Amino acid sequence: MVVPPPRAHYAAPPVLDSRPISRICQAHVNGFCKHAENCPLSSTHRITLIDDVLPSKTALLTALNLLSLEPRLAPVDKNAYFDDEGPGNLSLSGIPRHDNDHVLIQDIKILPTTDEILSLKRPYMPTKAHDQVHHLPPGPARYLDIAFRQLRYESTEIVIDRCYHAMQQLLISRDKGQFIDYHYSLETPQRNRYSLVRNVGFEEICFHEAKGAIVRLSYDCPRALQGANMHRSGLFAEGILCALLGLHEETDEMTTTFFEVHLRESTDAMKSRTGNHTRAAIHLSFADKDDTQSVSRCAYYMHGLIKASFVLVDLPGVLLAGFALHLDRLQKLAVAPDFAFASQIAPQDYSGHIEIQPPSYASGGDFKYNLQELQTKQNDGTPLSIRPIRSDSRNEDLCMTLQALKTQTSLDEGQAVALYENLSRELGMTQGPPGTGKTFLGVSLAQAILSSQTGQPQPILVASQTNRACDDFLSDLKKKGISKIVRLGGGSKEDWTRPHMLREVSSKMRLTGTERHDVREARANTEHLARDGLGWAESLSKDMLGWYTLKDHIKERHSNIFDHFASLEHVDTDVTDLRRAKKYSGFAYEFWLSGGDIKDMDSLLEALDIMLGNCELTNQSQSSSIEFKRRIFAGVKTNTEVAAADTDGEQIWSLSIAERQSLVASWLRELNPWKVCEAFAEVHRRHRAAITRKIQAFQVIDARCLAQQQVIGLTTTGVARYWELLNQLKLKVVITEEASECLESHTVCSLFNSVEHALFIGDPLQLRPQVNTTILSTEHCTKYRLDESLFERMMFSKSPISVSRLNVQRRMHPDIADLSRAGDYGYLLDHESTLSNPPVVGMVDRVYWLDHRQPEDRPDPRLPISKSHSNQYEVEFCAALVRYLIERGGYSLGEIVVLTPYNGQLAALTTRLQETCSIWLSDKDRDALIDTGLIPIGDSRVATSKTSIDLSSMLKIVTVDNFQGEEAKVIIFSAVRSNMYGKVGFLRTRNRINVACSRARDGFYILGDASLIGSIEHWAKRIDVLREKNLIGMFQEDHQIQLSCGHVLGVETLDILWGIRDLYEVDPTGTITSGGMNKLLTCGHLRCPDCWQVVDNVERYDLANQLQELPSTLDSFYAKIAKKLSLIAGDIIRTEEFLRRTFAGFCKKLQSGPLGSRHNQRLLWDRGNAMLESQQKTVKFRDEIVRAFEENVQRLALFLNNPGFFNHMVFPFKLRYDLIHYQCRFITLEDCLKTLRYLQALDQLDQHTSIITEGLRVKVLDESLGQVTSMEEQITDATALNLKRVEVELRIIQARLHMIVKSLGTDSGLDTSASLQRMRELCLQFPNSAGKLLGTYQAVRAHIEGGPAPTSSMELYTRASHELLPLLGKHKEGNLQYCVYRHPFCSVNFTECPECGREEAPLNSGPRVDPSKLLQEDAFLAHFGIIRGNVGA
C-alpha cells in the first residue's frame, strides 16, 4: 500500500455552541458578573463560543503542498529566489501558493503556517524600485507592503527551513518508538543548524496567570543532555521560539504549533515521575496567544482525541519579540497608512524634489530656540537664541548665527552647522563619521528643544538600535541636568537606570479614583479567569472533573444536585466579597468528592479553610482577609445546617466514596470531550482579552506618568512593544540614535502621526543594519536592499534629502585617521587633543601592515568551520602580538581588541587565545558561533556582555560587524583572506572597511595579504598611504630578545652566558628540541648582564624565576580552599539545626485530604531543598576549583621529577568536599525518613496522602541505596592516600545510610562487619586524627548491632568535625608543612597532621631545582599555568 505524502491539517468546525455577543453576559465573559445567578443572562454564564471573534470560515483555495523527502535547497541563481507575479490570487495561476499567501498584508499570519512550510513554491517578494510592477500604486500603502513582506521573509525563512527539515525527520522516524540515544543537533541542506528532540508526549496542560494556557511536554532525552548537561547546553533557553511538529496517525496530516519556552526540566527533575533518567520535560506557552485553534488542538492531543507522533524543534536565536512586534505594527499601520512624513518617505511621485520645512511647532514667525543651556560664554550677558532657517533667511544672518554658535558654545564647526540645520528641518539627518561627537550633538539638540518648548511641555522620544546606545545617550542627558527621564524596556544593564524605569516612576504617582477602580477591576477579572482556566486545565490533564468543568453540565442535566452544592456556598455579601467568594467556588463539591460528611462540620470548615489558604487574596489587607473568612465561615455554617436537613441532599451525602466516584464517572461519560477542549480554549481566549484590558488600564496611568517627563528612552524594538502607550502621548519630537543601523521597517514604527520633528543621527558609510537573509541584502542583490536604512535611502536617493555632516574627529591619532581620510572621509579633520594620544609602548610605529603570503585554511567541508574562513598563520601571529603588548607595553587585556571579519577566524582566535588569557565575546558573536557549530552550546570558557565581570581583565575578540560604536586603545585586525583565486569575500564591502579602520585610538596593526586585499579599491587607497610612509612590510623573524629592563640582547649570547646550551638544545622560539639535563643550574634568579636586574616576563627564560614562587602559590591556594570548606561546613551545621528545630512545626502544617495534596507537595519540596544551596556550592567549588587544583599539582610533580625541590603532595580537599556532599544528602534523607515515619503513623491515610507517602518512601530508598554504593570509590581513594580521618568519616556516613535502607526493609549490600572493624582499627591506631571519631563509631556500631537509633551519633560527628574544619579555615600562610604521607597542614594550628596523626616530615634541603627544566612554556603552562589562573577565580 502506497502511503500518500503528508499535507497540512485543517481544523474541523468547532462543536461547542456559539452565540453572538449581544446575547451573552459581557460581564461574565470579561471575568465576573456581580449578579451571579440573579443575572438576567445567567443562562449564558456557561462557556460558549462568541460568533463575533470566531475565525473566518471562508475556505481559501490554494495549491496542494505535500511533504517531500527531497532536500529543500536554495536556488543557485540569485534571481530565482522569489516570484514577482503578485501575491495570493493575483499570481498568474490565480491560485495562492499556500494558505498564508494573501494580497493584503494584514491578512497574513506572522508565524508560518504548516501549509506555508510545506510549500516549495517561490514566495512573492516585491522590490524597492518604485518603477517596478506592484499590485499597489506608489505611496505609503505600497511602502508598508514592501517593508512587511521583506521583514517577514527575513524573520521566518530560517524558521521555515528548519521546520521543513524537521518534518522530514519526523516522517522518517515516525514508527521507531523510544529513542535511547540520538543526535539532537541537526543541519538543513541550507546549513541552518537547529536542535530536535524526539518521541514527544503530552504530560499536562496548565494555566498561567499572565501567559494563559501552558503545555508541559516530555521527550526522550539524548545522553549528551541528560542530568545537569541540559542546563549547561543552552538548549530550549527561556523565551526562545520552538515548534511542535505533529504527524497524525490516521490521516498522515502535519500540524505546526509554535511556542515560547517557559521552563525546562532535566532528566533529574523527571526521575520521580518516570523512574528513569531518559525523559526530560519542558513547559511551553503559546507563541501566538490569540490562536485559539492551536490551544484547542493541543487540548485534543492531551485528551487523546487525536493520535499523533511529535518532535519538538528548538529554534536557536529566534526571539518572537525580535520581529513579531514590528510586523504586527506594520500590519496595523497598513489599515490606515498614517505615519509622519509619509509624503517625503513614501511619495506617490519620486521625480520631484523633497521639500523639508521647519517643524510645525517652530513655524511661527516669533519662534526662537533657546540655547542658553548650551551657552558656555555670553556676549554682553545676552542669552543665546536662534530662529529656524527659512526660505527667506538672509545669508549674512545665517553666518552670524553660526559664528555665535561656534564662539559661545563648545560645539565645533561641523556640530554648530548640524545643530542649526537640524533645528530648522522637520526631517533632519546628520552623518557623523567615527569619533565626531554624534551623541554630543544629539544631546545638544534635545537640550535646545526642551528649553524652547512653549505651552504644555511634551517629552522627547529617544530611540536607538541597541540598549547600550540608548543608555549612553540618556546618561549624557542626565549629566546635563535633565532629570525627568524614563527608560522603557528591560534591556538596560546600567544600575543608574533603575530609578528611571517606568514601573519605578509610576509607582510614586497618586492614582485617581477612576484609575484605582479600573486597575482593581482588571486585576480581579484576570485573576478570576485564570482560576477558571486552572480548573479546566486540571480536568484536561488529570481526568479530575473539577467544579469548573462540571458545573454547567450538572446545572443543565442534574439541577437539583447543582442547587444543593451551590446553596452551601451562597453567602449574602456585598459585590466585593462576591468577587472574592469566587475564589472558593466548588469547595462543597470537592469536599463531597473526597468522601466528606456534611454532618461533620469541623471537617467541612477545615476543607474550606484549606481552599481559602490555597487561594490567597491579592492586594487585600490582613484584617480584610480575616473578616472575609469570618463572614464566609458563618454563612457556610448556616447553609450547611439547612442543607443537612434537605432530603435530596441527604441522598447525595449518604453515598459511599465508590458510589460518588461512580456517579462522577457517569457525568464524565455524558460530557462531550471535544466540547471540554474547546471550552478550555475559549477560557484561554477570554483570559487573553482580560490581560489586554488590564494592560490598557495600566496604560492610562503610564501615559499620565510619561506625559510629565522630559525624555523617554528605549530601543526601536521597545517602540513597537509600547506603541499603543506612546501613541497616547501625541509626541512631537523623535530623536533616533544609530539611525543608519536601524532597519527602515523599524524606523517607520517610531514615526507616530503626531510627530512634527524627526531627527536621525548616524553614519550610512559605517555598518548597515544586520540581516540574516543575505539574498535580501544590498551586497547580494540591489533590488531588495532590506539592510538599507531609511537614513541611507534618503541620503543617496535620486532626489536626496539635505544631510548635515560632522567633520572633526576626537578619537584616532592623526596617523590612524589618515586611513579613514584615504577612504570615504577625505574631509575629516583632527581635533588637537588627538595629537596627545600616547604611542604604543614597545612598538616603533603606531600603525603598521604586517604583510604575508600564508594561505588561508582549507578545512574539511563537512566541518562547521568550513562555513566561514580562517587563517592559522594570522591566529598564531595575533597570539604572539597580544602577548608581546601585554608583557612589554604594560597594557591590560581590556585595552586591546582583536578584530576580524569572519566567524571562522573568531572561533580560531578564541580557541588559541583562551589558552593564555580570559576571552570576552559579544552576545551576537557568541550566538553566531554557537549557531554555526563553531563553539559548543554552553561553553563557559568565554564571557559575554551578559556576564557580570571586570572587562579590564579580559581580551576582546570581535567581528567587525559587531564592533560599530566601540573603540580600543590598540586594535589588531586579522584580514584572514589569502588565496590564489583572488577571492576576498565581503572584505570588499566599504562599510566594513570603514569600521575596521576607525576603531583604534593609539595603535592599529593589520595582518593580511596586501597583494590580494590591495585588489579592492577601498583597500588599495589605504595601502598606498601606508607604503608612502613605509608602514607596510613582510615580517622578518630575528633572534634577539628585549628584556624587561629594556636591554636588547642576542638569544645565543644569553644562552651561553646562562649555560642553557650545556643543558639541552633550544630553538629560537624557546622549545626544547633535544638533549637532557646534564647538570644543575645554580645561578638562582636570571639577571640582565648589563644592569643586573632580574629578568622578568621573557617567555624563553622567566619560568625559572616563576618556580621560586611555587611554594607560596600552593600555600595561598591551600588557604583559600580550606577557608571555603570551613564556610560551607558551617552552613550545613546551621541548616541541620534548622531542620531539627522546625520538624514538629513542619508536621503540623501537613494537611489531609485531596485539597491538601498540592499544599503538602509544596511543603515537602521546600523542606527537601533546604540543603540544596549548600550542596550546589559544594559540588560547584569541588568540580571547578578543587579537582583541577589537585590534578594539576600531581601532574606538576611528575613533570618536574625533582623530589628534592617539589615532591608529590597528597591534598585531602577533593575527598573532603565529597564528604560534605554526602553529609548534605544524608541529612536530607534522614529528615525525609522522619517525615515518612510521621505520615505512616497517622490514623487514617487518604488516597492522596498514601500516594505522597509511597513516593517519599521510594525516593528515600533509591537515593540511599545509590549513595551507599557510590561512596565505595571515595573510601578506596581515602585508604590509598592514607587519609585516615576522612576514611572513618566516610564510613560513618555510609553506615548511617545503610541503616536507612535497612529500616525500609531492604539490604544495601554493605559488609557492615568489615566496615566496623576497619573503623575501630583506625580510631585506635590513630587516636589524634581518626580517633577523634571514636564516640561516633561506637554509637553507630550499637545501632547496627540491634540497638536503638543513635540520635546523638550525628551530633557527636558534627562536634568532631566542628573542631577540625574551623582550624583548617584559619590557615596562616607561610606555615604550610607536610607529614610523612605528604599531607599538607598548618604548623601553627596543628602540632601534627590532622588527617593521619603522624609527625611532620623533616625539611629536605636537597639540591636546587634546575630552572632550565622549565624553559618549555607550553608544557609548564599545562601544569602550573592552570593553577595560577584558578587562584583569581
Side-chain angles (χ1 to χ4, degrees):
M1 178 180 176
V2 178
V3 179
R7 61 174 296 168
H9 166 79
Y10 291 96
V15 297
L16 192 63
D17 298 336
S18 63
R19 297 186 182 188
I21 191 67
S22 59
R23 295 177 54 197
I24 293 179
C25 174
Q26 185 64 53
H28 179 74
V29 171
N30 290 346
F32 179 78
C33 176
K34 65 181 180 180
H35 301 292
E37 299 304 319
N38 297 322
C39 176
L41 296 173
S42 62
S43 61
T44 68
H45 282 188
R46 65 190 186 92
I47 300 297
T48 59
L49 300 178
I50 301 175
D51 290 342
D52 308 62
V53 295
L54 287 176
S56 173
K57 299 179 182 179
T58 304
L60 180 66
L61 178 62
T62 67
L64 182 64
N65 297 303
L66 304 174
L67 178 64
S68 167
L69 292 180
E70 295 297 319
R72 184 180 186 269
L73 299 172
V76 177
D77 181 4
K78 68 180 181 181
N79 294 315
Y81 273 85
F82 303 116
D83 184 355
D84 59 0
E85 294 179 356
N89 54 19
L90 297 181
S91 64
L92 292 181
S93 65
I95 300 176
R97 300 161 183 82
H98 47 76
D99 64 357
N100 204 26
D101 182 22
H102 298 283
V103 175
L104 300 177
I105 61 173
Q106 47 267 50
D107 294 335
I108 298 174
K109 292 183 179 179
I110 291 175
L111 289 170
T113 64
T114 304
D115 194 48
E116 183 179 7
I117 294 170
L118 293 175
S119 175
L120 296 179
K121 301 171 181 64
R122 292 184 298 165
Y124 168 68
M125 184 59 61
T127 68
K128 274 191 174 181
H130 64 274
D131 55 351
Q132 294 296 310
V133 175
H134 193 281
H135 62 283
L136 293 172
R142 175 172 173 170
Y143 170 82
L144 294 172
D145 181 273
I146 296 171
F148 176 87
R149 295 182 190 276
Q150 290 192 357
L151 181 61
R152 184 177 183 274
Y153 182 86
E154 146 77 6
S155 306
T156 61
E157 168 57 21
I158 191 171
V159 174
I160 292 173
D161 185 49
R162 288 164 168 170
C163 287
Y164 191 91
H165 189 262
M167 286 179 175
Q168 293 175 323
Q169 304 302 309
L170 173 59
L171 182 61
I172 294 170
S173 62
R174 65 182 299 180
D175 298 321
K176 291 188 177 180
Q178 184 178 8
F179 290 82
I180 303 301
D181 196 18
Y182 55 92
H183 294 291
Y184 66 90
S185 182
L186 302 176
E187 186 175 81
T188 73
Q190 296 189 40
R191 312 193 80 172
N192 291 316
R193 294 176 64 86
Y194 69 97
S195 297
L196 177 145
V197 293
R198 302 176 184 271
N199 197 18
V200 177
F202 279 76
E203 293 287 329
E204 63 178 330
I205 289 183
C206 313
F207 208 89
H208 190 272
E209 187 171 347
K211 299 182 179 181
I214 298 283
V215 176
R216 182 172 176 270
L217 307 175
S218 66
Y219 55 89
D220 286 338
C221 186
R223 289 195 180 99
L225 297 176
Q226 291 177 6
N229 292 332
M230 168 60 71
H231 300 291
R232 287 193 288 263
S233 70
L235 195 69
F236 294 121
E238 183 178 356
I240 288 293
L241 191 71
C242 60
L244 179 69
L245 307 179
L247 179 58
H248 290 190
E249 293 180 1
E250 296 182 359
T251 61
D252 283 323
E253 293 177 324
M254 302 290 305
T255 61
T256 306
T257 311
F258 288 101
F259 294 98
E260 291 180 291
V261 177
H262 177 64
L263 179 71
R264 58 186 176 182
E265 294 182 50
S266 68
T267 52
D268 290 339
M270 281 287 290
K271 185 181 178 184
S272 61
R273 299 171 184 259
T274 62
N276 57 51
H277 280 288
T278 62
R279 299 282 288 179
I282 186 169
H283 299 242
L284 304 169
S285 64
F286 289 88
D288 182 359
K289 295 177 175 54
D290 297 324
D291 183 7
T292 55
Q293 287 188 348
S294 291
V295 179
S296 297
R297 185 169 62 247
C298 287
Y300 300 154
Y301 292 145
M302 181 69 225
H303 222 286
L305 301 177
I306 299 178
K307 303 294 184 183
S309 302
F310 300 100
V311 295
L312 185 64
V313 182
D314 179 54
L315 302 168
V318 182
L319 289 170
L320 186 65
F323 61 90
L325 293 170
H326 288 103
L327 290 173
D328 178 69
R329 181 47 46 197
L330 290 172
Q331 286 180 316
K332 291 173 180 175
L333 284 174
V335 176
D338 183 20
F339 54 91
F341 312 113
S343 60
Q344 293 99 322
I345 294 173
Q348 297 180 358
D349 182 5
Y350 281 83
S351 60
H353 176 69
I354 299 177
E355 289 290 337
I356 303 296
Q357 300 294 331
S360 297
Y361 69 81
S363 58
D366 297 330
F367 181 86
K368 290 183 179 181
Y369 284 105
N370 180 1
L371 303 187
Q372 191 171 0
E373 293 293 329
L374 306 181
Q375 206 168 1
T376 56
K377 56 182 178 180
Q378 297 181 352
N379 291 338
D380 302 327
T382 304
L384 181 62
S385 62
I386 60 173
R387 297 180 184 276
I389 303 174
R390 295 182 174 84
S391 57
D392 58 348
S393 298
R394 298 183 305 170
N395 286 334
E396 53 267 30
D397 293 337
L398 299 180
C399 292
M400 290 177 60
T401 301
L402 289 175
Q403 183 62 29
L405 284 172
K406 288 188 289 184
T407 57
Q408 298 184 44
T409 70
S410 57
L411 301 169
D412 61 41
E413 182 175 2
Q415 292 169 341
V417 173
L419 180 86
Y420 195 14
E421 292 177 342
N422 277 273
L423 292 176
S424 304
R425 296 170 180 164
E426 59 182 350
L427 192 58
M429 297 188 174
T430 301
Q431 180 199 4
T436 52
K438 294 186 288 293
T439 301
F440 180 76
L441 172 66
V443 170
S444 299
L445 287 166
Q447 286 181 279
I449 294 170
L450 288 172
S451 300
S452 308
Q453 289 183 343
T454 57
Q456 179 65 34
Q458 284 189 310
I460 292 176
L461 185 70
V462 174
S464 62
Q465 176 66 16
T466 64
N467 283 292
R468 177 193 56 77
C470 180
D471 290 341
D472 289 346
F473 194 100
L474 296 181
S475 176
D476 288 350
L477 281 173
K478 188 175 181 182
K479 292 173 184 176
K480 296 293 185 181
I482 298 174
S483 58
K484 291 185 176 181
I485 296 174
V486 165
R487 176 69 161 88
L488 281 177
S492 175
K493 296 182 175 65
E494 300 293 332
D495 291 337
W496 72 263
T497 61
R498 291 177 185 173
H500 295 276
M501 293 295 177
L502 176 59
R503 288 278 73 85
E504 289 289 328
V505 179
S506 63
S507 65
K508 299 174 183 176
M509 295 181 58
R510 294 190 61 180
L511 305 186
T512 65
T514 301
E515 289 170 346
R516 277 194 300 271
H517 172 271
D518 292 347
V519 168
R520 185 167 59 246
E521 183 90 3
R523 277 178 170 164
N525 286 334
T526 304
E527 184 179 340
H528 296 323
L529 285 167
R531 183 161 172 75
D532 288 352
L534 183 61
W536 284 94
E538 288 183 345
S539 301
L540 287 171
S541 301
K542 304 173 184 177
D543 281 335
M544 292 173 54
L545 287 182
W547 184 245
Y548 290 96
T549 314
L550 280 175
K551 64 178 181 179
D552 290 341
H553 177 75
I554 298 176
K555 183 177 181 180
E556 182 178 342
R557 299 283 189 93
H558 310 281
S559 58
N560 58 330
I561 297 177
F562 175 86
D563 293 340
H564 178 76
F565 285 138
S567 67
L568 289 175
E569 299 172 3
H570 177 68
V571 181
D572 291 327
T573 56
D574 57 24
V575 174
T576 303
D577 280 344
L578 280 173
R579 279 191 188 282
R580 296 193 288 174
K582 187 174 180 180
K583 294 175 178 293
Y584 72 94
S585 175
F587 94 90
Y589 167 79
E590 298 288 351
F591 181 67
W592 171 82
L593 184 60
S594 66
D597 185 354
I598 193 173
K599 297 178 181 179
D600 186 354
M601 184 67 69
D602 291 339
S603 297
L604 186 143
L605 293 178
E606 182 181 357
L608 174 59
D609 188 44
I610 291 172
M611 175 72 80
L612 294 175
N614 289 339
C615 307
E616 292 298 333
L617 307 175
T618 58
N619 300 315
Q620 299 292 337
S621 66
Q622 184 177 3
S623 60
S624 174
S625 294
I626 293 174
E627 174 62 18
F628 166 70
K629 281 189 176 184
R630 188 192 65 76
R631 297 172 65 183
I632 292 297
F633 274 41
V636 168
K637 186 175 180 180
T638 301
N639 295 340
T640 304
E641 292 170 349
V642 174
D646 181 20
T647 55
D648 292 338
E650 185 177 358
Q651 294 176 0
I652 291 293
W653 291 97
S654 64
L655 298 176
S656 66
I657 291 182
E659 290 171 330
R660 297 179 191 189
Q661 292 174 345
S662 176
L663 180 59
V664 172
S666 69
W667 293 342
L668 174 61
R669 289 189 296 271
E670 293 171 357
L671 282 174
N672 183 333
W674 297 87
K675 286 188 176 182
V676 173
C677 296
E678 291 172 7
F680 172 71
E682 172 62 15
V683 172
H684 169 83
R685 187 203 64 77
R686 296 182 181 185
H687 177 262
R688 289 304 309 162
I691 289 288
T692 300
R693 290 190 295 273
K694 179 180 174 182
I695 292 173
Q696 291 170 347
F698 275 100
Q699 279 184 353
V700 173
I701 303 169
D702 293 339
R704 186 163 64 87
C705 172
L706 292 176
Q708 299 172 14
Q709 309 306 313
Q710 294 174 290
V711 177
I712 302 168
L714 71 176
T715 62
T716 52
T717 300
V719 172
R721 181 185 299 276
Y722 297 102
W723 196 93
E724 298 289 351
L725 169 62
L726 296 171
N727 190 48
Q728 297 180 39
L729 304 178
K730 302 302 178 184
L731 298 164
K732 291 185 178 181
V733 181
V734 175
I735 299 177
T736 304
E737 264 271 272
E738 298 179 327
S740 58
E741 294 181 66
C742 298
L743 289 169
E744 186 164 0
S745 52
H746 290 194
T747 302
V748 73
C749 290
S750 65
L751 297 178
F752 303 91
N753 60 4
S754 61
V755 172
E756 300 175 3
H757 198 181
L759 302 173
F760 299 93
I761 304 172
D763 186 1
L765 296 178
Q766 294 279 303
L767 288 182
R768 292 190 174 101
Q770 293 189 14
V771 295
N772 299 317
T773 311
T774 56
I775 185 61
L776 293 175
S777 67
T778 306
E779 291 179 46
H780 196 283
C781 184
T782 57
K783 293 193 300 183
Y784 304 109
R785 307 193 307 279
L786 173 63
D787 61 344
E788 179 184 59
S789 65
L790 174 65
F791 194 159
E792 181 178 5
R793 183 174 67 83
M794 299 290 284
M795 181 176 174
F796 296 112
S797 67
K798 293 181 179 179
S799 301
I801 193 173
S802 298
V803 175
S804 305
R805 190 166 66 185
L806 307 181
N807 62 348
V808 180
Q809 69 89 18
R810 293 168 169 79
R811 173 187 296 160
M812 301 169 280
H813 187 276
D815 291 348
I816 302 173
D818 285 343
L819 297 180
S820 294
R821 279 186 282 269
D824 292 313
Y825 303 111
Y827 56 85
L828 198 61
L829 305 176
D830 300 316
H831 192 269
E832 59 184 15
S833 62
T834 60
L835 294 171
S836 61
N837 286 12
V840 180
V841 180
M843 304 292 281
V844 176
D845 301 301
R846 65 171 72 244
V847 182
Y848 201 84
W849 186 305
L850 296 160
D851 193 11
H852 70 84
R853 299 296 179 269
Q854 299 296 322
E856 62 198 60
D857 303 332
R858 299 183 63 184
D860 187 330
R862 294 171 295 182
L863 297 176
I865 201 170
S866 65
K867 301 175 184 178
S868 188
H869 299 280
S870 61
N871 190 311
Q872 195 60 37
Y873 175 81
E874 292 186 14
V875 169
E876 294 300 327
F877 207 111
C878 281
L881 186 52
V882 168
R883 186 185 307 118
Y884 177 84
L885 290 171
I886 296 298
E887 294 177 354
R888 301 293 178 274
Y891 291 99
S892 68
L893 287 171
E895 294 173 325
I896 301 173
V897 167
V898 179
L899 200 59
T900 183
Y902 292 99
N903 284 330
Q905 188 74 343
L906 180 72
L909 286 164
T910 301
T911 302
R912 173 64 179 86
L913 285 166
Q914 69 185 5
E915 297 173 2
T916 55
C917 57
S918 301
I919 302 299
W920 183 93
L921 296 179
S922 71
D923 295 336
K924 290 183 178 179
D925 278 336
R926 186 174 185 276
D927 291 344
L929 294 186
I930 291 173
D931 190 41
T932 52
L934 294 174
I935 64 172
I937 296 176
D939 189 345
S940 60
R941 296 172 296 174
V942 294
T944 69
S945 60
K946 297 176 183 176
T947 308
S948 178
I949 199 163
D950 181 11
L951 295 184
S952 65
S953 63
M954 309 194 79
L955 175 70
K956 277 188 180 181
I957 308 177
V958 196
T959 57
V960 175
D961 285 2
N962 290 319
F963 202 58
Q964 177 150 325
E966 305 283 345
E967 63 179 53
K969 285 187 176 181
V970 178
I971 287 182
I972 304 168
F973 177 70
S974 173
V976 181
R977 302 309 298 268
S978 179
N979 56 71
M980 66 179 66
Y981 311 107
K983 294 183 177 180
V984 293
F986 52 56
L987 269 179
R988 69 173 66 253
T989 309
R990 77 174 187 177
N991 301 70
R992 289 191 176 96
I993 299 171
N994 288 336
V995 172
C997 295
S998 60
R999 303 294 110 194
R1001 292 179 57 86
D1002 304 337
F1004 184 44
Y1005 302 98
I1006 305 171
L1007 308 177
D1009 183 346
S1011 65
L1012 172 66
I1013 300 172
S1015 63
I1016 304 167
E1017 178 185 1
H1018 296 289
W1019 277 115
K1021 295 176 181 178
R1022 291 165 169 84
I1023 291 174
D1024 289 342
V1025 170
L1026 294 175
R1027 283 207 172 103
E1028 289 176 5
K1029 298 181 178 182
N1030 197 27
L1031 295 176
I1032 185 171
M1034 305 286 285
F1035 175 70
Q1036 299 295 327
E1037 187 175 357
D1038 58 34
H1039 300 305
Q1040 289 191 324
I1041 291 180
Q1042 181 181 16
L1043 303 182
S1044 53
C1045 58
H1047 292 118
V1048 179
L1049 299 172
V1051 172
E1052 293 187 6
T1053 301
L1054 293 175
D1055 285 352
I1056 294 171
L1057 180 64
W1058 290 329
I1060 301 300
R1061 298 294 180 183
D1062 294 333
L1063 303 175
Y1064 38 65
E1065 293 296 323
V1066 186
D1067 70 11
T1069 67
T1071 304
I1072 301 173
T1073 57
S1074 63
M1077 272 180 47
N1078 300 318
K1079 67 177 185 179
L1080 296 176
L1081 198 64
T1082 59
C1083 62
H1085 281 85
L1086 305 181
R1087 297 178 179 272
C1088 172
D1090 288 348
C1091 65
W1092 205 239
Q1093 288 189 27
V1094 173
V1095 172
D1096 192 16
N1097 292 327
V1098 177
E1099 176 183 343
R1100 189 178 181 86
Y1101 304 117
D1102 64 354
L1103 298 179
N1105 294 333
Q1106 291 179 7
L1107 187 60
Q1108 308 301 320
E1109 303 171 5
L1110 181 58
S1112 62
T1113 300
L1114 295 175
D1115 194 0
S1116 174
F1117 222 96
Y1118 177 94
K1120 293 178 186 295
I1121 295 179
K1123 183 176 181 180
K1124 185 73 171 180
L1125 180 69
S1126 176
L1127 292 173
I1128 294 177
D1131 289 342
I1132 292 172
I1133 291 170
R1134 285 187 290 273
T1135 305
E1136 182 188 15
E1137 172 59 29
F1138 167 78
L1139 290 175
R1140 261 201 317 267
R1141 188 176 66 253
T1142 59
F1143 182 74
F1146 159 72
C1147 291
K1148 292 180 181 179
K1149 293 180 181 178
L1150 294 173
Q1151 299 168 352
S1152 60
L1155 297 179
S1157 61
R1158 185 171 298 173
H1159 171 77
N1160 293 341
Q1161 289 173 0
R1162 186 170 65 249
L1163 285 178
L1164 289 169
W1165 174 266
D1166 292 341
R1167 190 167 180 84
N1169 286 331
M1171 277 287 182
L1172 185 61
E1173 183 178 0
S1174 296
Q1175 184 178 327
Q1176 289 176 338
K1177 285 181 183 177
T1178 302
V1179 173
K1180 179 179 176 63
F1181 195 76
R1182 178 197 66 190
D1183 293 346
E1184 295 182 1
I1185 304 297
V1186 177
R1187 192 192 304 274
F1189 170 69
E1190 294 193 8
E1191 289 175 355
N1192 286 312
V1193 168
Q1194 292 174 13
R1195 287 202 296 266
L1196 179 59
L1198 294 173
F1199 170 74
L1200 293 176
N1201 193 24
N1202 191 338
F1205 176 79
F1206 185 73
N1207 204 345
H1208 180 71
M1209 300 176 185
V1210 180
F1211 286 91
F1213 291 125
K1214 190 267 180 187
L1215 285 175
R1216 282 223 162 266
Y1217 277 88
D1218 287 341
L1219 179 64
I1220 287 220
H1221 168 71
Y1222 286 122
Q1223 187 179 353
C1224 287
R1225 297 313 306 145
F1226 168 72
I1227 293 170
T1228 301
L1229 291 169
E1230 188 180 47
D1231 189 72
C1232 289
L1233 182 64
K1234 288 169 63 179
T1235 304
L1236 177 63
R1237 295 301 185 221
Y1238 170 79
L1239 293 174
Q1240 290 174 336
L1242 296 176
D1243 293 337
Q1244 291 183 345
L1245 286 180
D1246 58 72
Q1247 181 182 2
H1248 296 274
T1249 307
S1250 298
I1251 293 173
I1252 291 174
T1253 302
E1254 177 59 21
L1256 191 58
R1257 190 193 72 81
V1258 172
K1259 173 181 174 60
V1260 173
L1261 179 60
D1262 287 352
E1263 187 163 348
S1264 297
L1265 277 170
Q1267 299 289 339
V1268 169
T1269 303
S1270 66
M1271 290 184 74
E1272 286 295 333
E1273 180 182 350
Q1274 282 74 24
I1275 291 173
T1276 302
D1277 290 344
T1279 304
L1281 298 175
N1282 290 298
L1283 295 169
K1284 315 300 182 183
R1285 180 170 182 143
V1286 173
E1287 181 182 349
V1288 173
E1289 292 187 62
L1290 286 167
R1291 289 184 181 276
I1292 288 172
I1293 300 294
Q1294 186 186 40
R1296 292 303 308 273
L1297 288 166
H1298 160 80
M1299 293 310 295
I1300 290 178
V1301 174
K1302 186 177 179 180
S1303 70
L1304 295 173
T1306 306
D1307 184 10
S1308 70
L1310 177 67
D1311 186 348
T1312 54
S1313 298
S1315 184
L1316 287 171
Q1317 180 62 26
R1318 175 64 176 169
M1319 280 192 275
R1320 180 177 180 276
E1321 292 173 356
L1322 292 174
C1323 288
L1324 295 177
Q1325 187 176 354
F1326 301 94
N1328 293 329
S1329 56
K1332 300 287 187 181
L1333 300 158
L1334 184 60
T1336 311
Y1337 151 74
Q1338 291 170 341
V1340 171
R1341 177 174 181 171
H1343 185 206
I1344 290 176
E1345 292 177 349
T1351 55
S1352 62
S1353 66
M1354 284 309 296
E1355 184 179 346
L1356 291 169
Y1357 169 68
T1358 301
R1359 191 182 308 140
S1361 298
H1362 195 57
E1363 295 171 357
L1364 171 67
L1365 297 180
L1367 289 176
L1368 287 178
K1370 295 178 181 178
H1371 171 68
K1372 299 182 183 300
E1373 295 187 31
N1375 297 282
L1376 194 65
Q1377 300 293 343
Y1378 301 89
C1379 72
V1380 294
Y1381 290 128
R1382 302 302 298 165
H1383 304 146
F1385 66 93
C1386 178
S1387 59
V1388 174
N1389 296 331
F1390 302 99
T1391 57
E1392 57 184 352
C1393 176
E1395 300 295 349
C1396 65
R1398 294 295 188 184
E1399 294 292 334
E1400 65 186 62
L1403 293 176
N1404 192 332
S1405 56
R1408 292 180 59 85
V1409 68
D1410 180 359
S1412 60
K1413 180 81 175 197
L1414 305 175
L1415 291 178
Q1416 189 174 3
E1417 185 179 25
D1418 288 342
F1420 184 86
L1421 286 177
H1423 308 289
F1424 182 60
I1426 296 176
I1427 297 173
R1428 285 192 302 161
N1430 281 339
V1431 171

